[in-house]
Amino acid sequence: MFENLKTLAIALHKDERGDMAQIVLAVALIVIPLMLLLLAFGKQIGEWFNEKNTALSDAERIPEPGQ
């Protein structure tokens, strides 16, 4: 498996056609908006996950087996 990754890395490194810039641009176009969303709504997302985790672990909300 590592040999395949090494071969791929070497092939990408030797590629001089300019395709790597397009790949980096495509990745950046996906990552940058996600980072902006996380920066803008990170606290609300974290609070929502904490609320759902509390609901799952709250003993009053989890019925006993057989009930």
Side-chain angles (χ1 to χ4, degrees), residues 20-33:
M20 191 58 138
Q22 292 175 352
I23 293 171
V24 170
L25 180 61
V27 170
L29 288 174
I30 294 170
V31 171
I32 291 173

Side-chain angles (χ1 to χ4, degrees), residues 11-40:
L12 287 175
H13 184 69
K14 289 184 178 181
D15 187 15
E16 298 177 0
R17 296 178 294 169
D19 290 338
M20 191 58 138
Q22 292 175 352
I23 293 171
V24 170
L25 180 61
V27 170
L29 288 174
I30 294 170
V31 171
I32 291 173
L34 287 176
M35 292 297 294
L36 292 174
L37 284 173
L38 285 175
L39 287 173

Side-chain angles (χ1 to χ4, degrees), residues 39-57:
L39 287 173
F41 300 108
K43 288 185 181 180
Q44 290 92 347
I45 293 170
E47 290 171 1
W48 183 81
F49 275 103
N50 284 335
E51 178 185 326
K52 298 303 176 186
N53 187 34
T54 302
L56 285 173
S57 61

